[in-house]
Amino acid sequence: MKCPFCNPLAEDIVAKNNLCYALWDRSPVSRGHLLVIPFRHTPDFFSLSVEEKHALLALIDTGKGVIEENFQPAGYNIGTNVGEAGGQTVMHCHCHVIPRYAGDVPDARGGIRGVVPYKQKY
């Protein structure tokens, strides 16, 4: 299967640096959902080089600025899925930067813990 992240179209790239690029998620969880992706095809966060990890984190900061400029969210969830058991469906490393808005869910407490729904509330 062809990797959807290996050859991004220039017009889809929202921000980039020398090792990573960012684009709007095509199936967004919320308005402004951004993906930060290394140019190099590598399966997950743990397979990134130290330089790629630094570039990814730097681009998350840049992407936050782009999101703030366009959407003014009240908070964020940032995360990466690793492996099928972790929910990864595209086996090219990518990090989700998901803007959150006041009232977007009835009770946001537990945030990222919601990946295992019955463990979200503690």
Side-chain angles (χ1 to χ4, degrees):
M1 186 165 110
K2 184 179 175 187
C3 177
F5 296 153
C6 277
N7 296 298
L9 298 174
E11 60 266 22
D12 291 339
I13 295 175
V14 174
K16 68 179 181 174
N17 59 29
N18 58 333
L19 296 176
C20 298
Y21 68 95
L23 51 77
W24 302 119
D25 191 296
R26 289 187 179 157
S27 298
V29 170
S30 66
R31 290 176 294 117
H33 182 165
L34 197 68
L35 297 178
V36 178
I37 306 163
F39 283 109
R40 180 174 71 94
H41 184 93
T42 191
D44 59 54
F45 180 81
F46 298 109
S47 66
L48 295 174
S49 68
V50 170
E51 295 80 10
E52 286 168 326
K53 286 177 181 172
H54 290 165
L56 184 122
L57 291 173
L59 201 53
I60 288 171
D61 283 341
T62 300
K64 178 184 182 280
V66 172
I67 294 168
E68 299 268 331
E69 198 174 288
N70 290 282
F71 300 100
Q72 301 82 44
Y76 290 90
N77 291 114
I78 299 168
T80 181
N81 302 321
V82 177
E84 288 183 29
Q88 187 176 3
T89 57
V90 176
M91 300 307 169
H92 181 138
C93 179
H94 56 287
C95 181
H96 296 264
V97 182
I98 302 172
R100 299 297 303 275
Y101 301 90
D104 63 357
V105 295
D107 183 359
R109 288 180 296 170
I112 199 79
R113 295 174 61 90
V115 300
V116 179
Y118 72 91
K119 300 255 183 171
Q120 184 171 8
K121 306 299 180 212
Y122 55 95

